[in-house]
Structures are given as structure tokens and as C-alpha cells.
Amino acid sequence: MGEPEKWEDEKNVYRVQGFSCANCAGKFEKNVKQIPGVQDAKVNFGASKISVYGETSIEDLEKAGAFENLKVVHEKKRNSNTGFQHIEQKESFIKKHGRILTSVLLICMGYLSLLVNGEENVSTITLFAAAIVIGGYSLFKVGFQNLIRLEFDMKTLMTVAVIGAALIGEWAEGAVVVILFAISEALERFSMDRARQSIRSLMDISPKEALVRRDDKEKKIHVDDIRIGDIMIIKPGQKIAMDGIVVNGYSAVNQATITGESVPVEKAVDDEVFAGTLNEEGLLIVSVTKKTEDTTLSKIIYLVEEAQAERAPSQAFIDQFAKYYTPLIMMIAALVAIIPPLFFGASWDTWVYQGLAVLVVGCPCALVISTPVSIVTAIGNAARNGVLVKGGVYLEKLGALKVIAFDKTGTLTKGIPVVTDVKIINNQAHPEQVFATIAALENRSQHPLASAIIKKAEQDNIEYANVVVENFSSITGKGIRGDINGITYYIGSPRLFRDLGIEHVSEAEVTLLQEEGKTAVVMGTEKEIMAVVAVADEVRETSKEVIQKLHQLGIRKTIMLTGDNHQTAQAIAGEVAVTDVESELLPEDKLNVIKKLSAEYDSVSMIGDGVNDAPALAASTVGIAMGGAGTDTALETADVALMSDDLTKLPFAFKLSRKTLTIIKQNITFSIAIKVIALLLVIPGWLTLWIAIIADMGATLLVTANGLRLLKVKD
């Protein structure tokens, strides 16, 4: 149909209720594409929605889905009183499944009549025929259309089988085939709804109204009417309606819905808060920073739904396989029905019956549903646990990885430098006075390590703010200098003091600190070294445990990438127990390392913060971004985003991926095996319609139940 990008301005997204199977979704998409004014259409079966490019109406869309009685509503109205709720409204069990229940009752009455009046009795045949018509109404409506158009899918197979059963007088078995197929479809629909529910539950967690202060008045406003810059008031126990920045107040906020973190996070002035999270303790005054459609929660929901639409490699294979499989089954069924009577003098009734049974057992329901139910369930479960996987293809690739590269700063480490050691070299000097001098000078510096020294001084209650510094200047690439009480002090790298010609008595101290993975900052005058301060980017407490778990899960190689010097890099690598380390790297060097690893190992993952690691993330097989919550770059560039700044989510993501791959393989193997076994029963003539429909229905139920087990995989 061309490229949808050309009609992006005419794109409208609609929610759909009533999809019973992936084939029905495909048929709906095809029908919508034929509506006058529609340029293109794309159904997302996993999220139960359709993107339409061009002009159309709800009425036209529902006409296109009339074969399945589909209900449609515009995406923008899903939260309004007249919108999505009419799709989600609860129907009574009897109303929803009235046809099936009526058909079951007629079948029971038919069997009672069969016992009393016999198989050839008019009332018996009438009861079974009525059960077939009522229970199979939706089946035949599509099946007959397919036959006329020579389109072959599972409903075509079932329609031919039921008509054939009636023609050879097998009314009872035809009725049972119809009712069991209807039940199978209802259960399939239920299982997909269960899988989708993990995302729908995210839609419901954000409040539809917020208490907003405008013109010195507080009033409840619908989220769609809230503007950027509005001031929200969130009381203890209330959910936050919009993303924003705290301008007043202090509280603990439960962010589990966004990041998967079980422990509430402290929020104070200038901290970011997210829509859908729960304010637990104090009163928070928040300035709104994003519109409803741009909140982190909205982006998560959108990205997960798009991910559910992305076809995994196994699903693409199944779709292609099913395209040729259905006509092949019809050909086999025809040969089974014709060859034995035509060439071997066998009974026509017996082998036509066998051929019809082949049609039923060949119905690819289980095979078609085996992959999407697993992918949708797994991606939904991952999102609820703070792991955003952007497609089935990445979910599958994640489980196949053998090599993982980690950015050091902010990934394996906290990304915040802290003072770890203060060594006073001049024993005559008072330690507090020396550190106050260091802090006073660093307070005027823009160096990244200065903040760590200032923080240390404040923690130790060292008075530095009142120390008068004169003639302060920066020595490019080496350090800083300044005069205090007439004495010129220098702070910088060991090289600075070597250039000053000062005997470097602290060389051994510096070397020892560097071997421990720390950066040495030397302080002194033109005559002597007075102190050495060690600053380090602290390793996350969980890093070593995560690396060990990954190795236990079968990851052969873990490699740390960093711009640090070799000694520091080796020290941190040893602390976190990665197998390899690459140091003194520029961003382009990291990219080259990833390319080299990809050539050697084929599948490589890169984990970083999604900003300066973007090239390496993009070049890896699966790019994983840390701290996706509130980071647009991470959400956009990575294939997988760990929503909390928490590496412990990584083993869960791998475990879920491996489990998904296992379940998909189990489902495909079982679906095909059950068909083959049932078809082999044709040889001795043992295959019956009963066995065929039970084999098909049983397989469908088992693969859907097996797929839903992914909801139980825990972090």
C-alpha cells in the first residue's frame, strides 16, 4: 500500500473490541483498507487497536468488522464517559454467550431425542440442525464468504467440515464440532484479553482528575484540561495525575507502576514525579511539566502496545507457515476422502467422514495463537515490573545473548563521585584546616570532582564558606590555584606538582589509590605536598550480584567499557567481577568495541544511560538503557529500557526472555505434534470428528494456558 509515513498527518488510531483470533484481525485490516478514502491500515492484534491512514468514520469501520460484530471507538475518546468505556462495559455471561448456551441446550435435547426416537427421526435432526445454525452463526457468516472468495483459513475449514458432516448424515457430530469450536474461540478471546489486561491495568492507574491551584483558587480539573505550568496539589494517599517537578513539600512516592521499584522513593523540591505513582506520606506541590499524552506513563503504554504489534521472528514464521498450511490441509482432506473409495473400492461414507475429520484436526488455531499470546503476555509482564521491551524481536534476541557490554559510569557505578580517603601528608597541619582550605578552593571550581569534596565538607560540618580566597585561577587540564592568608595553594593532579618541580613524596600513596580504582587529587604549596584526597565513583551495591546472576544464566562474557585509566578500570572490574574490561575509551571507541564483539560473537548487548552511549546502543544486537523513567533519549534509542535506575531488573529480563522462548518452542512443537498424531489415525481409519475437534480444542487451550504462565514470572 506504500509507506504510511506519507499519510502520517491523516493517521487516526481506534480501539477495537471483539477480535477472536489473529486471522479475524487480519481480515478486518483487509476490509478497512478497501474503505473509500482509506490509504492504509494497520491492525495491532496484541493491543486490540487499528491505525487508519486517511478519512473514514466509526460506522464504516464497524461495517468492515461486521463479520465479527466488532465495536470501534477513537483512541482519544477512550477515557471519556462516552468513549472507550462503552467498549469495556461488562455484559452478563448469559447475554455474552447466549448463542453457545442455546446451542448446548439444543444438543442435549437432540441426544435425548436420539435415545428416544432414533438417529433418523425428524425431531432429532431438527434439534441438531438448529444447534448447528445457532451455535455456528458467526462461523458460517465468515466461512461462506471465504468459500465464495476462495479464501482459506480456519473458519473455511470448519465450515466445509460441518456442511460435509450434515450431508453424510452426521448431524450430531456436526453440532458438537460447531459448539466446541465456538467454545474454543471464546476461550481464545478470553486468554488474549487476559494477556492484554496487563497493559489496560496501566491505563487505569492514572487519575482522570487533579486538584489544581489557579488564580489563587483550588479546583478539580480533568487531566485533558491541565496545562504545562499548572500547580497540582497532591495529598497523602493520592495518586499523581501528571508528570511534574516538586516545587514544595517532601514525601515518599511509590513508583512501582513506572519503575517496578517496590521501595518508595523520597521526593523533595526539584525532584521529578510521574503520573500514576502514589504519594504515600507528605503533601506535595507539583508544577506540571508535560501534557497528558506526553507523560512517562503514556509513553510506556504507547511503546508497549507498539511492541506487542511487532512480530517476533517465530511469529513471522508461523504466519508464513499458516498461509500455505491451510490450503495443504484441504488438499490432504480431499485426497483422504477420494483416493480410498476411487482406487481401492472403500466406502465413500467412511472416507468422506475421514476427510472431514482431517479438515477439523488440521484447523491451525493452536499454531496461530501459540506465539502472539506468549509475546503479548511477556511484554505486558515486563512492563509491570519496570522493564520496557520494545518488540517481540528484542524479547527473543535478549534470550539468545551470550555477551553483554556495560558502560561503567552510571551503570555499574552510581555515577556520583564521593570522597573515599583524605591523607594528610604534612603532620604539622591541622586536618580540618587543610580540608577547609581544599573545600574553599574547590567551591570556586567547575571540575566534576569539586562537588564530591564540597559534599564531604558539608557532611563533616567543616566551615569553608567564610574562607577568603584571592587570585583564584584555573590551570587548564591540571588543576586550580588560589591565595589564602597570603599563601598560594595548588590543587590538582600529581602531574601539576611534578611540573611545579616539587618533590613528590606522595607518589606511592597516589599509585596505591589508583590501584584501588580511585582518582587522586593532590593539595599543596610551592614548597610541599600537604594532602592527597581520593575521589571515586562508587560501585553499585548490586553490580557484583547482578553480574554473577547473569553468568549463572549462561552469559559467557561480561565486559566493562570506560574512559577511566587502566589501573582504575581494572580495580572496578575486579570489584564487580566482569570477565573483561576495556579502558581509556572515547564514545567512538565504545562503538568500535561493540562492532568488534558483534563480528566475533554475533549477538551482543550494550547497557548504558542512553545519552552518550547512544551510538554503541544502536550498534548492539539489543541496546539496553538504564533509568528509562523520565529519560526520553533512553526510551527512544534503546531496544529495552530498565525504567528504574536498577541493574537488578536485568536478570529478570533475561529470565523472562528465556522462559518466553521456551514456551513458544513448546507451543509450536506441541501444536504440530498433536496434528501429526491425529492425522496418523487416518491410516487405520480411527480418526473421528470427536477426536479431531477435541485434539484441536485441547491444543488451543493448552498453548494459551502455557503462554499465560508467563504472567507468573516474577522479578
Side-chain angles (χ1 to χ4, degrees), residues 4 6-13 37 39 52-55:
K6 290 192 289 186
W7 309 297
E8 194 66 35
D9 292 341
E10 299 176 61
K11 177 182 174 182
N12 284 285
V13 180
Q39 306 297 332
V52 179
Y53 301 87
E55 294 183 6

Side-chain angles (χ1 to χ4, degrees), residues 20-21 45 183-195 364-375 377-378 663-664 666-668 670-671 696-711:
S20 61
C21 62
F45 176 58
I183 292 170
S184 177
E185 273 204 322
L187 290 169
E188 189 178 319
R189 187 184 288 115
F190 170 76
S191 66
M192 283 304 296
D193 283 344
R194 273 289 308 276
C365 293
L367 196 59
V368 171
I369 198 70
S370 61
T371 302
V373 73
S374 303
I375 294 293
T377 303
I663 282 179
I664 287 172
Q666 288 172 351
N667 283 352
I668 292 172
F670 178 75
S671 300
D696 178 65
M697 182 180 176
T700 303
L701 288 177
L702 282 171
V703 299
T704 52
N706 198 30
L708 288 174
R709 285 198 302 130
L710 290 165
L711 287 171

Side-chain angles (χ1 to χ4, degrees), residues 234-238 250-254 264-267 278-284:
I234 303 108
K235 298 175 182 177
Q238 288 184 339
Y250 174 85
S251 184
V253 174
N254 187 328
V265 179
E266 292 182 0
K267 297 290 181 181
L278 177 66
N279 180 25
E280 292 198 341
E281 294 176 0
L283 181 75
L284 288 176

Side-chain angles (χ1 to χ4, degrees), residues 489-565:
Y489 293 96
Y490 294 86
I491 300 176
S493 64
R495 191 180 71 175
L496 169 64
F497 288 89
R498 282 196 293 269
D499 291 349
L500 289 171
I502 298 172
E503 184 71 23
H504 202 346
V505 294
S506 58
E507 195 73 57
E509 291 276 6
V510 169
T511 303
L512 182 64
L513 291 170
Q514 287 178 340
E515 286 174 353
E516 292 174 356
K518 299 168 183 175
T519 300
V521 177
V522 182
M523 177 266 195
T525 65
E526 293 174 343
K527 297 179 180 179
E528 62 175 345
I529 301 293
M530 299 182 68
V532 177
V533 178
V535 179
D537 181 3
E538 279 189 310
V539 172
R540 293 179 188 270
E541 296 84 354
T542 56
S543 291
K544 186 174 183 178
E545 180 189 353
V546 167
I547 299 295
Q548 288 174 341
K549 283 183 178 178
L550 290 173
H551 288 157
Q552 289 167 7
L553 285 168
I555 301 298
R556 292 205 306 264
K557 190 183 188 77
T558 50
I559 181 167
M560 185 182 82
L561 309 181
T562 178
D564 285 348
N565 65 66

Side-chain angles (χ1 to χ4, degrees), residues 206-361:
S206 185
K208 301 298 178 283
E209 289 185 325
L211 184 62
V212 173
R213 184 186 296 152
R214 278 187 191 168
D215 304 322
D216 296 326
K217 292 180 181 178
E218 294 179 7
K219 53 184 175 180
K220 289 268 187 180
I221 296 178
H222 193 277
V223 290
D224 290 340
D225 299 322
I226 294 176
R227 301 188 293 260
I228 292 174
D230 274 343
I231 300 298
M232 284 192 307
I233 300 165
I234 303 108
K235 298 175 182 177
Q238 288 184 339
K239 284 185 177 178
I240 298 168
M242 305 284 285
D243 283 13
I245 299 291
V246 177
V247 293
N248 198 358
Y250 174 85
S251 184
V253 174
N254 187 328
Q255 298 188 153
T257 51
I258 301 293
T259 64
E261 296 167 284
S262 56
V263 179
V265 179
E266 292 182 0
K267 297 290 181 181
V269 174
D270 292 336
D271 285 339
E272 190 172 14
V273 292
F274 307 112
T277 57
L278 177 66
N279 180 25
E280 292 198 341
E281 294 176 0
L283 181 75
L284 288 176
I285 310 298
V286 173
S287 175
V288 176
T289 56
K290 292 178 182 176
K291 296 178 181 178
T292 316
E293 61 269 24
D294 296 327
T295 64
T296 300
L297 180 62
S298 295
K299 284 186 178 180
I300 292 171
I301 293 168
Y302 172 77
L303 289 169
V304 170
E305 288 186 335
E306 290 303 299
Q308 289 175 333
E310 289 291 328
R311 293 176 184 269
S314 57
Q315 188 174 343
F317 163 74
I318 291 299
D319 291 345
Q320 195 68 16
F321 179 78
K323 184 179 176 182
Y324 300 103
Y325 171 85
T326 307
L328 181 65
I329 283 293
M330 294 195 76
M331 191 185 301
I332 292 171
L335 293 174
V336 167
I338 294 169
I339 289 176
L342 206 58
F343 295 103
F344 302 103
S347 166
W348 279 99
D349 279 359
T350 300
W351 286 97
V352 167
Y353 178 87
Q354 289 286 302
L356 296 175
V358 168
L359 282 182
V360 174
V361 81

